[in-house]
Amino acid sequence: MTTLFSSYRLGDLTLPNRMVMAPMTRVRAAAGGLATPSMATYYAQRATAGMIVSEGVQPSLVGQSSPGTPGLHTDEQVASWRAVTDAVHINGGRIFAQLMHGGRVSHPDTTGHQPVGPSAIAAVGDVFTPTGPQPAPLPRALDTAEVPEHAHAYAEAARRAIDAGFDGVELHGANGYLISQFLSSNANRRTDRYGGSIASRIRFAVEAVTATVDAIGAARTGIRLSPGGGFWGVEETDALALNTALLIELSRLGLAYVHLEATTHEEVLMGLRRAWPGALIINPVLPMGPKQTGREEADHWLGLGADLISFGRGFLANPDLVERLRVGLPIAPIDESTYYQGGDAGYLTYPAYQHTA
């Protein structure tokens, strides 16, 4: 019988359990988008996860969404990540880098560049900047000839990720960032080959994933999607048809996995499970919702055909979450005020469970 603690073969990796640490922004990188010794400790503390997916890592400077996030587009960034991946591997873990191009969810004060997107339509809400939240600016619509360059940025960052010691990469196609913007029915108003019909709106995602597979191999490549999710004002009015069409195209590539957030109705997600023949990771609860993923949610989705379950906030305050769930230990609460404040408090200061006599 499959349980959360059964092993699983994912690409070329054997995972000791089916718990994935979900990607979570922590904005603890150093100037220049460099990974730090504290980041190495943070990920190493959580290496008992079947697999870790890193926080979002920008594949280019213009792709940086928020201050304090790390990159994989310079040699210095690659060198800084090696201490992180080494620490995870020494502790027996496996780690994929999440490649995240923010697209229109960015600001010139953060990058020095006007954000880009499929269309000149601003995101909904305030974006983070070095001086605090500011309204999302109007992005520059990419020319048709420029679009492949941004698709290939994921592949170039993937090469750097492997050089930095990551076991693979996950393209961030969710949550209203660049790939999600191209998929969208309202953020993408293009009339060229990258907009309009579903076949055209999925083209950017397929090109980005294909380029990444060509660069590092399908067994090292995954993608995360948030079907029907409304992050940053992005809409998918045809979530089932759109994401089914995308998964059918991606199924020809032999990817390591698809990572779906439960951002739509269960029957839609089950339709996508049927459309996807490969490994499926489900993230059962909304990232900013009131609930955390626990055994009940994990077992529910394993029963519905998910292969792996990703846990977000649970891993923040519980570096030993795997063991806590395995033996039924209490789950420590999270101090949400420390999510993005920087420093080691609320980052490295959550202990493993202390057994008392």
Side-chain angles (χ1 to χ4, degrees):
M1 177 182 171
T2 297
T3 76
L4 198 55
F5 309 104
S6 305
S7 64
Y8 186 77
R9 185 75 176 174
L10 184 75
D12 296 331
L13 301 172
T14 298
L15 313 187
N17 58 68
R18 295 174 184 244
M19 293 179 62
V20 174
M21 177 173 159
M24 291 172 286
T25 298
R26 301 311 307 275
V27 294
R28 259 74 173 189
L34 303 181
T36 68
S38 289
M39 289 166 65
T41 300
Y42 169 76
Y43 285 113
Q45 286 176 341
R46 291 154 178 81
T48 53
M51 184 176 77
I52 293 169
V53 183
S54 80
E55 62 209 279
V57 181
Q58 56 261 17
S60 62
L61 181 57
V62 73
Q64 182 174 2
S65 181
S66 299
T69 56
L72 269 170
H73 54 89
T74 72
D75 292 344
E76 293 77 16
Q77 291 165 351
V78 170
S80 72
W81 276 113
R82 289 188 184 122
V84 178
T85 58
D86 284 349
V88 170
H89 292 144
I90 287 168
N91 279 270
R94 296 136 297 277
I95 183 168
F96 273 44
Q98 189 191 61
L99 304 179
M100 174 184 152
H101 190 310
R104 69 181 188 172
V105 184
S106 183
H107 198 279
D109 289 359
T110 298
T111 65
H113 298 275
Q114 183 182 8
V116 298
S119 300
I121 301 170
V124 175
D126 289 347
V127 297
F128 295 105
T129 79
T131 56
Q134 295 191 50
L138 192 71
R140 180 177 66 80
L142 291 167
D143 292 334
T144 304
E146 291 180 283
V147 174
E149 166 196 336
H150 289 267
H152 282 269
Y154 293 93
E156 292 302 317
R159 286 192 185 94
R160 290 183 178 276
I162 299 306
D163 190 25
F166 284 97
D167 297 295
V169 303
E170 173 180 288
L171 278 69
H172 197 349
N175 296 17
Y177 299 111
L178 185 62
I179 291 174
S180 175
Q181 291 158 30
F182 271 94
L183 295 173
S184 168
S185 47
N186 70 337
N188 181 352
R189 299 290 179 82
R190 302 177 73 92
T191 56
D192 64 359
R193 62 197 300 267
Y194 292 101
S197 68
I198 284 176
S200 294
R201 282 187 282 129
I202 68 173
R203 191 183 309 278
F204 180 77
V206 173
E207 288 184 358
V209 175
T210 301
T212 303
V213 167
D214 289 345
I216 66 169
R220 291 171 159 175
T221 305
I223 187 171
R224 193 178 209 216
L225 303 169
S226 51
F231 303 95
W232 298 107
V234 157
E235 293 178 4
E236 291 177 4
T237 55
D238 42 18
L240 180 58
L242 174 79
N243 287 278
T244 297
L246 176 58
L247 294 184
I248 288 171
E249 286 296 311
L250 295 181
S251 68
R252 299 168 184 167
L253 300 175
L255 300 186
Y257 65 85
V258 164
H259 187 176
L260 295 181
E261 297 177 31
T263 43
T264 187
H265 300 297
E266 189 170 292
E267 58 266 29
V268 174
L269 295 171
M270 291 305 300
L272 299 179
R273 166 71 283 189
R274 290 188 289 272
W276 176 248
L280 180 67
I281 305 173
I282 287 282
N283 186 252
V285 297
L286 287 174
M288 301 308 288
K291 289 193 72 177
Q292 290 190 47
T293 301
R295 280 296 300 272
E296 181 181 355
E297 293 81 15
D299 290 343
H300 174 74
W301 281 104
L302 287 173
L304 290 178
D307 299 296
L308 302 159
I309 307 297
S310 66
F311 295 75
R313 287 163 291 173
F315 268 113
L316 296 187
N318 300 272
D320 56 341
L321 183 64
V322 175
E323 185 64 12
R324 292 190 192 223
L325 291 184
R326 190 194 307 274
V327 300
L329 296 172
I331 303 301
I334 306 157
D335 180 0
E336 295 189 10
S337 70
T338 64
Y339 276 4
Y340 312 122
Q341 72 174 14
D344 289 345
Y347 190 58
L348 305 184
T349 51
Y350 291 113
Y353 186 78
Q354 304 296 311
H355 293 272
T356 56

